Amino acid sequence: MTTSLDTDRIAAAARALLDDKVTAVRTLAEARQKREDARSALSDAERGDTTAYTAALKAGWTTDELKRVGLDAPSKRAPGRPRSNRRGAAASTSTAPTSTSDDTAAG
């Protein structure tokens, strides 16, 4: 007995399954893009906040005055050069291992 398969119906069913997968991955990709756009917008907003806060300090406001009116310091530092170490090189410590007497006493 020979069984006849409806190849067109099988192909259509397979295509429907693939279409569902493609739709799901497209939705995921769109959500990821929205997330990246939001991260970028947040980064831009934080940079603007930090710049404006720094400008307020340069205009003569103190951090205490700004805090009293409800404007805490931004959570991120202003862009630019990192501040130098005020303690200088004398305060630096070496992390190199020190030799011990075991190193020189080879049996």
Side-chain angles (χ1 to χ4, degrees):
M1 180 171 180
T2 305
T3 304
S4 175
L5 296 176
D6 184 354
T7 56
D8 289 335
R9 185 184 59 76
I10 292 170
R15 189 169 292 114
L17 291 173
L18 289 176
D19 286 346
D20 289 344
K21 285 183 171 184
V22 169
T23 299
V25 81
R26 181 184 306 271
T27 301
L28 174 59
E30 289 169 352
R32 292 284 170 94
Q33 185 60 52
K34 284 181 184 178
R35 182 184 69 182
E36 291 306 311
D37 292 345
R39 281 184 179 162
S40 179
L42 176 60
S43 178
D44 291 346
E46 286 176 336
R47 198 170 19 261
D49 176 58
T50 301
T51 302
Y53 188 86
T54 302
L57 292 175
K58 287 181 180 179
W61 288 91
T62 66
T63 55
D64 188 48
E65 290 170 332
L66 292 172
K67 192 178 288 188
R68 277 190 271 158
V69 298
L71 298 170
D72 288 335
S75 59
K76 298 210 174 207
R77 289 187 167 222
R81 288 184 10 199
R83 296 184 184 242
S84 64
N85 185 356
R86 293 180 187 230
R87 292 197 283 172
S92 67
T93 59
S94 174
T95 58
T98 57
S99 64
T100 62
S101 61
D102 291 343
D103 293 338
T104 58

